[in-house]
Amino acid sequence: MSEREVLELLRENARYSTADIARMTDLEEHEVEATVEELEATDVVRGYQAVVDWDKLEDERVRAEVELNVTLDRETSYDDIAERLARFPEVKALRLISGDYDFDMEVEGDSIREVSQFISEKVAPVPEITQTVTHYVMASYKENGIELGDGEGDDRLSFSP
């Protein structure tokens, strides 16, 4: 039995019952229950969330990807900065990454103004942050492995040289 199999099935659909997972993995239901309980107790599974296609709702959310560059000093680590930023409810994801910038931060708000104010008033003033670059999400086609939208084709004109 593999914890990974159970995790992959939970990531695919967190609403699968233990009976469903047992059938798909050839495990006994009590084994699945014990595995899930252990994964939750050890904080491997941190929660369950719905994948929302905000474009289907009239109450649309504004989302942005924000690049953050930082300069560290002797007393401050990446973990310290991440801990400070992760506390804000507007921050939906925060990752330390390799490449041209240090952190990738996903932010959500009710308006562009709200997101912009959050970044300029709460994020940019953090002393170690030296630069922010904000990219507003125009459309989402896939979230957490799930394709979004109505499945209609691309309406852009094709171009051939």
Side-chain angles (χ1 to χ4, degrees):
M1 187 227 10
S2 167
E3 285 181 342
R4 179 163 306 268
E5 285 179 284
V6 173
L7 284 169
E8 290 298 328
L9 288 168
L10 287 173
R11 287 188 66 204
E12 178 183 304
N13 184 349
R15 294 187 69 178
Y16 282 146
S17 68
T18 53
D20 293 333
I21 295 172
R23 275 192 305 279
M24 291 185 255
T25 59
D26 293 327
L27 296 172
E28 297 294 325
E29 244 183 281
H30 67 88
E31 292 175 300
V32 172
E33 287 173 9
T35 300
V36 171
E37 286 172 10
E38 177 68 17
L39 291 168
E40 290 172 345
T42 58
D43 282 340
V44 172
V45 172
R46 304 294 295 251
Y48 302 91
Q49 296 181 344
V51 176
V52 178
D53 187 346
W54 290 104
D55 293 339
K56 301 275 187 195
L57 299 174
E58 292 192 24
D59 183 27
E60 195 171 317
R61 301 282 289 163
V62 173
R63 294 179 299 148
E65 296 286 334
V66 184
E67 301 173 7
L68 301 175
N69 280 316
V70 301
T71 299
L72 301 178
D73 57 35
R74 291 179 189 253
E75 293 84 36
T76 308
S77 68
Y78 287 119
D79 289 345
D80 295 330
I81 296 167
E83 186 177 310
R84 205 172 326 159
L85 294 172
R87 289 186 185 138
F88 292 111
E90 295 89 348
V91 176
K92 300 305 175 191
L94 180 64
R95 300 173 189 90
L96 179 64
I97 61 169
S98 64
D100 293 335
Y101 52 100
D102 300 304
F103 286 101
D104 176 47
M105 183 172 68
E106 293 178 24
V107 177
E108 252 184 35
D110 288 331
S111 67
I112 289 177
R113 178 184 298 264
E114 183 180 299
V115 170
S116 296
Q117 280 183 316
F118 167 70
I119 294 165
S120 64
E121 295 174 8
K122 303 290 186 185
V123 176
V126 173
E128 297 82 7
I129 294 177
T130 59
Q131 181 182 27
T132 67
V133 178
T134 304
H135 305 275
Y136 288 95
V137 176
M138 304 304 290
S140 289
Y141 301 101
K142 191 172 186 176
E143 295 282 342
N144 294 340
I146 297 174
E147 288 187 48
L148 305 177
D150 57 11
E152 295 296 315
D154 189 344
D155 61 356
R156 294 178 293 173
L157 297 174
S158 61
F159 173 78
S160 314

